[in-house]
Structures are given as structure tokens and as C-alpha cells.
């Protein structure tokens, strides 16, 4: 799986990186785009997952972004905050020029987080179902703005995007709640899935300890997997958060064999060890002793010989 390609990352178009419950504030379909004359005029043929043939009369212009569903998928809806894997073709609606396309290779889809792209694409993906092919006409006000020229469009151009929604990872752990484990930090969940962590005043364990807060029923994580996770890291002694993917709203993609995320962050060996054998959809609390964390060296905001607490939501396996 790849991040979205460089042209539109630089331009600000594609930035990276289940059906949500009704209490999730992101699960709002009111902002999802409707079809209209600009999106309906985009003719798309070909099989889902294969590079389509796209034709439309130029110029395509619209003052409001629109979405037409070319192929209706049968998978779960996607919502703001979810990491999805897509293939896409992006055109200048004024002159029909192809600006960018993915390879339509099942092993090389582009990953993005809904809500972290441009407004028109975010709205176009909102409440779409996995397996869908969409034709989105992005209005200038929902487009690239001042970054448009570097992407080959004018700030007044409509952008046409044809996108296949190949896969969606969970926005948060959705497993069955489990009884709390005595002596462990207490975890409470805010709407949307972000955990709050209260560390006890007792001395921390001296060995790696793992508790399952929510028991998922998805695939089992192995040491050779690459997993998509949300996590919050807390210092036991200081009882303060030192790292959290929830701050940016972008999940981490972790290569278990190296302990490295796609963003280049090194996570402790104890966190990786605690994830092995857990299931997708689970939320786990992992207490990592200094010997399996950053030890006497520390790391950034983590002091020397610190015991760490990680609350990890396992969202999927790549």
C-alpha cells in the first residue's frame, strides 16, 4: 500500500496518511455530496478495480461540488477520520487534461484519511460504501485554492475525480467491552473513539503487561504483519500523554517486524510484542517497562527509564 502520490500531496489535494455507530460525531451523512449535472456528465466505463475509461465534455464547471455513484459498493460506509485505500484518476475539468492517476494495482493502492484531503474529495467520500466507484466534480471553492497552480489547474477550475474505494480500515476499535483488569490504568472512550487514560498511583509493573479492553473478532496480528492502529502513549510516573495519533486524526501504519511506522516513528519493542496475537477490532492497554521501551536513553519527550502505557486500537491489517 502506498501513500497518495507526490503531485497532489504537494498541492494539498491528497494528504496522509466499518460503519460507525450513531454516537460517532464523524458519522454524519448530511455533508455527503449529491449528484448533479456536473458529475452526471462524467462517463466512466470499465470494471471496478481496473483503470477506467473516462470521458466528459469540456468544460465541466460547477459552483457546488457533486458526486455521482457509477458503481454502488456493498461494503461498509466510510466516514471522516477513516483511513481508506483508493485508486483514482484526476482531471482538469476545464480542458480534460489528466493530472494524476494511480496504478490500479491491488498491491499498490493509495492510502488517505477522509477529512485530510481537500473539502470536495472529503465530502465525496463521506458515506460512500467500500466497493464503490465515484465520479466527483469538485468546485473551485472546495478545491486546491492557492495551491492549484502547482497542480496544473487554475483556482477557478473544476476538478474531476474518478475514485474507486477499495478498502476501509476501522475508525476505532469496535470489539466487545471486557472487564477491567485490577491495577491497570482506567480507559474511558469519548465519542469518536479517542481514549482517556487514568494511571493509578501505585508503582508500575516491572514486566510487560497487556490487557484487552475491547475484544475484536477480526484477523490475528502476527510479527510479520503491517497494521493500522490508533494509539495514545502515557508516561506512568508523570501521568501525562506524550504521543497520540488521535491528535492529528491520522492512524499510524506500523510494520511489526521493524517497529517503524510509515511516517518514520520508532515505536517500542514492548508495544509491538503486546500487539502480537491480538485481533483486529480490539483495543488493548500495554504497559511497557523501560527495558522494552526506550530505557536509559529515553526518547524525545520520554525521560530515561520511563514506564509507558499505550492504549492501542487495532484498525486493520494491510
Amino acid at each position: 500500500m502506498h501513500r497518495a502520490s507526490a503531485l497532489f500531496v504537494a498541492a494539498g489535494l491528497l494528504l496522509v496518511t466499518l460503519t460507525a455507530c450513531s454516537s460517532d460525531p464523524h458519522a454524519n451523512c448530511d455533508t455527503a455530496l449529491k449528484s448533479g449535472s456536473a458529475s452526471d456528465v462524467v462517463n466512466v466505463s470499465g470494471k471496478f478495480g481496473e483503470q477506467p475509461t473516462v470521458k466528459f465534455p469540456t468544460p465541466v464547471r460547477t459552483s457546488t461540488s457533486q458526486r455521482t455513484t457509477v458503481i454502488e459498493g456493498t461494503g461498509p460506509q466510510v466516514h471522516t477520520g477513516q483511513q481508506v485505500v483508493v485508486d483514482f484518476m484526476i482531471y482538469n475539468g476545464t480542458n480534460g487534461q489528466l493530472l494524476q492517476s494511480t496504478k490500479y494495482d491491488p498491491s499498490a493502492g493509495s492510502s488517505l484519511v477522509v477529512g485530510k484531503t481537500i473539502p470536495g474529495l472529503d465530502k465525496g467520500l463521506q458515506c460512500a460504501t467500500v466497493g464503490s466507484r465515484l465520479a466527483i466534480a469538485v468546485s473551485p471553492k472546495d478545491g486546491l485554492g492557492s495551491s492549484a497552480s502547482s497542480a496544473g489547474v487554475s483556482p477557478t477550475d473544476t476538478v474531476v475525480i474518478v475514485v474507486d474505494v477499495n478498502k476501509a480500515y476501522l475508525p476505532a476499535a469496535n470489539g466487545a467491552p471486557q472487564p477491567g483488569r485490577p491495577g491497570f490504568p482506567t480507559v474511558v472512550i469519548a465519542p469518536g473513539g479517542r481514549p482517556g487514560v487514568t494511571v493509578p498511583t501505585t508503582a508500575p509493573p516491572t514486566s510487560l503487561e497487556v490487557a484487552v479492553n475491547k475484544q475484536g473478532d477480526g484477523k490475528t496480528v502476527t510479527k510479520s504483519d503491517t497494521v493500522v492502529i490508533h494509539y495514545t502513549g502515557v508516561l506512568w510516573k508523570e501521568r501525562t500523554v506524550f504521543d497520540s495519533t488521535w491528535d492529528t486524526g491520522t492512524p499510524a501504519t506500523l510494520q511489526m517486524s521493524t517497529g517503524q511506522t510509515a511516517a518514520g516513528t520508532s515505536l517500542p519493542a514492548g508495544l509491538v510484542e503486546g500487539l502480537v496475537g491480538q485481533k483486529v477490532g480490539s483495543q488493548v492497554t500495554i504497559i511497557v517497562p523501560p527495558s522494552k521501551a526506550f530505557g536509559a536513553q529515553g526518547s524525545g519527550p520520554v525521560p530515561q527509564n520511563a514506564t509507558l502505557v499505550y492504549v492501542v486500537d487495532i484498525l486493520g491489517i494491510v
Side-chain angles (χ1 to χ4, degrees):
M1 178 181 69
H2 297 287
R3 298 297 181 186
S5 42
L7 170 63
F8 279 90
V9 170
L13 177 55
L14 302 181
L15 300 179
V16 297
T17 39
L18 141 194
T19 303
C21 63
S22 59
S23 62
D24 185 347
H26 299 311
N28 178 6
C29 292
D30 291 344
T31 59
L33 298 181
K34 310 299 183 185
S35 62
S37 58
S39 60
D40 286 345
V41 79
V42 181
N43 184 281
V44 186
S45 59
K47 295 180 180 180
F48 179 88
E50 298 179 0
Q51 184 166 327
T53 299
V54 180
K55 298 179 181 179
F56 53 87
T58 57
V60 171
R61 294 194 176 103
T62 182
S63 59
T64 58
S65 295
Q66 302 168 11
R67 175 185 77 189
T68 296
T69 301
V70 179
I71 297 173
E72 183 76 53
T74 58
Q77 285 185 343
V78 298
H79 297 285
T80 299
Q82 258 180 289
Q83 184 164 310
V84 296
V85 179
V86 299
D87 279 299
F88 56 80
M89 302 182 76
I90 303 174
Y91 296 85
N92 184 325
T94 298
N95 58 23
Q97 179 186 1
L98 176 64
L99 302 173
Q100 188 174 334
S101 176
T102 58
K103 296 180 179 179
Y104 288 82
D105 179 344
S107 64
S110 288
S111 174
L112 58 87
V113 176
V114 181
K116 298 292 183 178
T117 72
I118 62 167
L121 182 57
D122 289 334
K123 294 174 185 177
L125 289 170
Q126 180 74 355
C127 297
T129 53
V130 173
S132 291
R133 170 170 285 174
L134 313 170
I136 306 171
V138 178
S139 71
K141 69 177 181 180
D142 285 340
L144 300 174
S146 60
S147 299
S149 59
S150 61
V153 295
S154 163
T156 60
D157 286 334
T158 292
V159 172
V160 173
I161 305 175
V162 175
V163 57
D164 286 4
V165 186
N166 299 323
K167 186 175 183 178
Y169 299 100
L170 297 173
N174 65 350
Q178 303 297 297
R181 181 170 165 181
F184 259 62
T186 302
V187 179
V188 295
I189 307 300
R194 181 173 186 144
V197 186
T198 302
V199 178
T201 57
T202 54
T206 57
S207 60
L208 183 73
E209 300 286 347
V210 181
V212 178
N213 307 327
K214 295 182 179 181
Q215 181 60 65
D217 59 3
K219 292 182 179 179
T220 300
V221 176
T222 71
K223 185 65 183 291
S224 63
D225 285 329
T226 297
V227 296
V228 179
I229 59 174
H230 260 314
Y231 67 85
T232 294
V234 178
L235 301 172
W236 182 288
K237 181 179 179 181
E238 290 80 2
R239 298 178 180 82
T240 56
V241 174
F242 67 90
D243 189 16
S244 179
T245 57
W246 295 96
D247 288 343
T248 62
T250 301
T253 301
L254 171 65
Q255 187 175 351
M256 294 284 288
S257 60
T258 65
Q260 293 278 327
T261 71
T265 302
S266 295
L267 296 179
L271 182 148
V272 174
E273 184 179 336
L275 290 177
V276 174
Q278 305 296 339
K279 292 183 178 295
V280 171
S282 295
Q283 182 190 80
V284 294
T285 297
I286 305 172
I287 302 175
V288 184
S291 62
K292 295 190 176 184
F294 299 108
Q297 291 184 336
S299 177
V302 178
Q304 296 177 337
N305 297 314
T307 297
L308 310 178
V309 178
Y310 282 94
V311 177
V312 185
D313 286 23
I314 306 171
L315 308 180
I317 297 175
V318 175

